[in-house]
Amino acid sequence: MNNPNNSVGTGASVFAHALLWVGMLAVVLSGQALGRDAGLHQKTATFNVYLGVVPAKTLRDQPRLVDQHKTLHGGLAREPDSQHLTASVRDIGTDKQVLDATVIAEVRHKRWTKKSIERPLEKMWIGDTVTYGNFFAMPEHGDYEIRLKIYLPQGAHAEVANFTYRKPDG
Protein backbone atom coordinates (compact mmCIF):
# COMPACT_ATOMS: atom_id res chain seq x y z
CA MET A 1 0.00 0.00 0.00
CA ASN A 2 1.30 3.44 -0.82
CA ASN A 3 1.88 5.68 2.13
CA PRO A 4 1.14 9.15 0.76
CA ASN A 5 2.37 12.45 2.08
CA ASN A 6 5.48 11.27 3.90
CA SER A 7 7.27 14.11 5.62
CA VAL A 8 10.80 14.39 6.89
CA GLY A 9 11.79 16.52 9.88
CA THR A 10 14.91 17.00 11.94
CA GLY A 11 16.79 13.89 13.02
CA ALA A 12 15.83 13.97 16.73
CA SER A 13 12.16 14.73 16.14
CA VAL A 14 11.91 12.13 13.38
CA PHE A 15 13.46 9.55 15.69
CA ALA A 16 11.14 10.45 18.59
CA HIS A 17 8.11 10.44 16.29
CA ALA A 18 9.09 7.09 14.77
CA LEU A 19 9.68 5.59 18.21
CA LEU A 20 6.23 6.69 19.40
CA TRP A 21 4.49 5.24 16.35
CA VAL A 22 6.46 2.00 16.59
CA GLY A 23 5.30 1.72 20.21
CA MET A 24 1.67 2.35 19.23
CA LEU A 25 1.93 -0.11 16.38
CA ALA A 26 3.33 -2.75 18.74
CA VAL A 27 0.36 -2.25 21.08
CA VAL A 28 -2.21 -2.39 18.30
CA LEU A 29 -0.67 -5.24 16.35
CA SER A 30 0.65 -7.24 19.28
CA GLY A 31 0.90 -10.97 18.85
CA GLN A 32 -2.09 -13.08 19.76
CA ALA A 33 -0.55 -14.33 23.01
CA LEU A 34 0.24 -10.82 24.23
CA GLY A 35 -3.13 -9.50 23.03
CA ARG A 36 -5.05 -12.23 24.82
CA ASP A 37 -3.07 -11.82 28.03
CA ALA A 38 -3.57 -8.05 28.04
CA GLY A 39 -7.23 -8.24 26.96
CA LEU A 40 -6.41 -6.25 23.83
CA HIS A 41 -7.50 -8.90 21.33
CA GLN A 42 -11.05 -10.04 20.59
CA LYS A 43 -12.54 -12.27 17.93
CA THR A 44 -15.90 -11.83 16.28
CA ALA A 45 -17.43 -14.13 13.66
CA THR A 46 -15.53 -12.31 10.90
CA PHE A 47 -12.75 -10.28 12.52
CA ASN A 48 -9.68 -10.34 14.72
CA VAL A 49 -9.76 -6.98 16.50
CA TYR A 50 -6.75 -5.51 18.30
CA LEU A 51 -7.10 -2.49 20.57
CA GLY A 52 -4.51 0.11 21.52
CA VAL A 53 -4.92 2.99 24.00
CA VAL A 54 -2.23 5.64 24.59
CA PRO A 55 -2.38 9.02 26.35
CA ALA A 56 -3.06 11.73 23.76
CA LYS A 57 -0.39 13.93 25.37
CA THR A 58 2.27 11.47 24.16
CA LEU A 59 1.38 12.17 20.52
CA ARG A 60 3.64 14.87 19.14
CA ASP A 61 2.03 15.07 15.72
CA GLN A 62 -1.50 14.90 14.43
CA PRO A 63 -2.39 11.32 13.42
CA ARG A 64 -2.39 10.96 9.64
CA LEU A 65 -5.85 10.12 8.37
CA VAL A 66 -6.34 8.09 5.21
CA ASP A 67 -8.65 10.89 4.03
CA GLN A 68 -6.02 13.64 4.06
CA HIS A 69 -8.62 16.37 3.61
CA LYS A 70 -9.80 15.98 7.21
CA THR A 71 -8.24 16.35 10.63
CA LEU A 72 -9.16 14.06 13.47
CA HIS A 73 -11.97 16.04 15.10
CA GLY A 74 -10.16 19.33 14.86
CA GLY A 75 -6.65 18.19 15.73
CA LEU A 76 -4.87 16.82 18.76
CA ALA A 77 -7.02 16.45 21.84
CA ARG A 78 -6.65 19.32 24.28
CA GLU A 79 -8.15 17.69 27.37
CA PRO A 80 -5.39 16.55 29.74
CA ASP A 81 -6.95 13.12 30.26
CA SER A 82 -7.64 12.32 26.61
CA GLN A 83 -6.60 8.93 25.34
CA HIS A 84 -6.03 7.95 21.73
CA LEU A 85 -7.93 4.74 21.03
CA THR A 86 -6.80 2.73 18.01
CA ALA A 87 -8.25 -0.48 16.57
CA SER A 88 -6.77 -2.80 13.99
CA VAL A 89 -9.41 -4.90 12.25
CA ARG A 90 -8.28 -8.00 10.36
CA ASP A 91 -10.20 -10.66 8.46
CA ILE A 92 -10.27 -13.78 10.64
CA GLY A 93 -9.81 -16.15 7.67
CA THR A 94 -7.14 -14.36 5.64
CA ASP A 95 -5.53 -12.12 8.31
CA LYS A 96 -5.72 -9.21 5.83
CA GLN A 97 -6.48 -5.68 7.01
CA VAL A 98 -10.13 -4.69 6.74
CA LEU A 99 -10.01 -1.33 4.98
CA ASP A 100 -13.66 -0.63 4.23
CA ALA A 101 -15.33 -0.94 7.62
CA THR A 102 -17.16 1.65 9.66
CA VAL A 103 -16.08 1.37 13.29
CA ILE A 104 -18.02 3.06 16.10
CA ALA A 105 -16.56 3.05 19.62
CA GLU A 106 -18.50 3.44 22.84
CA VAL A 107 -16.41 4.15 25.95
CA ARG A 108 -17.82 3.99 29.46
CA HIS A 109 -16.13 3.94 32.87
CA LYS A 110 -17.49 1.06 34.94
CA ARG A 111 -18.62 3.54 37.62
CA TRP A 112 -20.66 5.59 35.13
CA THR A 113 -24.24 4.39 35.26
CA LYS A 114 -25.81 6.41 32.44
CA LYS A 115 -22.90 8.22 30.81
CA SER A 116 -20.90 6.97 27.85
CA ILE A 117 -18.95 8.53 24.99
CA GLU A 118 -19.71 7.25 21.49
CA ARG A 119 -17.99 8.38 18.32
CA PRO A 120 -16.71 6.97 15.02
CA LEU A 121 -13.15 5.80 14.64
CA GLU A 122 -11.53 7.25 11.56
CA LYS A 123 -9.18 5.44 9.19
CA MET A 124 -5.60 6.45 9.88
CA TRP A 125 -2.06 5.34 9.16
CA ILE A 126 0.24 3.82 11.74
CA GLY A 127 3.35 2.98 9.77
CA ASP A 128 2.14 1.08 6.70
CA THR A 129 -0.95 -0.22 8.49
CA VAL A 130 -4.41 1.29 8.21
CA THR A 131 -6.13 1.37 11.58
CA TYR A 132 -9.18 3.12 13.01
CA GLY A 133 -8.75 5.74 15.73
CA ASN A 134 -10.03 8.71 17.67
CA PHE A 135 -9.63 10.62 20.94
CA PHE A 136 -11.70 9.93 24.07
CA ALA A 137 -11.73 11.76 27.39
CA MET A 138 -10.96 9.24 30.13
CA PRO A 139 -10.58 11.38 33.26
CA GLU A 140 -10.96 8.64 35.85
CA HIS A 141 -8.56 5.85 36.72
CA GLY A 142 -9.72 2.25 36.74
CA ASP A 143 -11.70 0.11 34.33
CA TYR A 144 -13.34 1.37 31.15
CA GLU A 145 -15.61 -0.73 29.00
CA ILE A 146 -14.89 -0.22 25.31
CA ARG A 147 -17.37 -1.55 22.80
CA LEU A 148 -16.45 -1.52 19.12
CA LYS A 149 -19.25 -1.92 16.57
CA ILE A 150 -17.85 -2.90 13.18
CA TYR A 151 -19.96 -2.54 10.06
CA LEU A 152 -19.04 -3.70 6.55
CA PRO A 153 -20.37 -1.64 3.61
CA GLN A 154 -23.05 -4.16 2.62
CA GLY A 155 -23.63 -5.57 6.11
CA ALA A 156 -27.00 -5.13 7.76
CA HIS A 157 -25.72 -5.67 11.30
CA ALA A 158 -22.62 -4.76 13.24
CA GLU A 159 -20.24 -7.25 14.74
CA VAL A 160 -19.27 -6.25 18.27
CA ALA A 161 -15.96 -6.58 20.10
CA ASN A 162 -15.97 -5.78 23.83
CA PHE A 163 -12.85 -4.81 25.75
CA THR A 164 -11.99 -3.78 29.28
CA TYR A 165 -9.21 -1.20 29.48
CA ARG A 166 -7.69 -0.33 32.85
CA LYS A 167 -6.39 3.22 32.94
CA PRO A 168 -3.40 3.19 35.25
CA ASP A 169 -3.09 5.47 38.28
CA GLY A 170 -0.72 8.38 37.95
Side-chain angles (χ1 to χ4, degrees):
M1 216 173 237
N2 283 340
N3 199 354
N5 201 17
N6 284 334
S7 61
V8 177
T10 63
S13 68
V14 169
F15 178 74
H17 177 67
L19 192 58
L20 174 65
W21 283 108
V22 166
M24 267 181 70
L25 185 61
V27 168
V28 173
L29 301 176
S30 60
Q32 286 186 2
L34 176 60
R36 283 191 188 131
D37 291 345
L40 301 176
H41 170 255
Q42 294 290 318
K43 287 184 179 184
T44 69
T46 310
F47 308 115
N48 275 309
V49 185
Y50 298 89
L51 181 73
V53 182
V54 297
K57 65 184 176 186
T58 63
L59 300 177
R60 302 181 117 218
D61 297 318
Q62 171 68 31
R64 292 180 318 128
L65 295 177
V66 171
D67 181 353
Q68 296 177 18
H69 303 289
K70 298 190 315 185
T71 58
L72 195 59
H73 291 285
L76 286 174
R78 289 169 179 58
E79 295 136 351
D81 292 317
S82 288
Q83 305 293 311
H84 189 254
L85 188 147
T86 310
S88 173
V89 181
R90 304 187 74 81
D91 181 276
I92 204 163
T94 65
D95 198 40
K96 290 186 179 180
Q97 296 179 69
V98 176
L99 303 176
D100 59 350
T102 297
V103 181
I104 309 292
E106 181 180 359
V107 175
R108 184 180 76 78
H109 193 281
K110 286 196 172 186
R111 287 187 286 215
W112 300 345
T113 56
K114 296 182 181 178
K115 177 183 167 187
S116 66
I117 304 166
E118 184 174 82
R119 61 179 53 126
L121 301 185
E122 298 185 80
K123 284 189 247 183
M124 55 179 283
W125 291 99
I126 294 182
D128 291 335
T129 301
V130 173
T131 63
Y132 300 84
N134 210 330
F135 297 108
F136 289 84
M138 295 184 182
E140 298 182 45
H141 300 290
D143 291 342
Y144 283 83
E145 295 172 349
I146 299 173
R147 179 180 203 183
L148 300 181
K149 294 179 274 186
I150 305 163
Y151 299 86
L152 289 176
Q154 305 305 319
H157 301 287
E159 290 191 34
V160 177
N162 293 301
F163 298 89
T164 298
Y165 167 71
R166 177 170 290 249
K167 182 179 175 193
D169 293 335

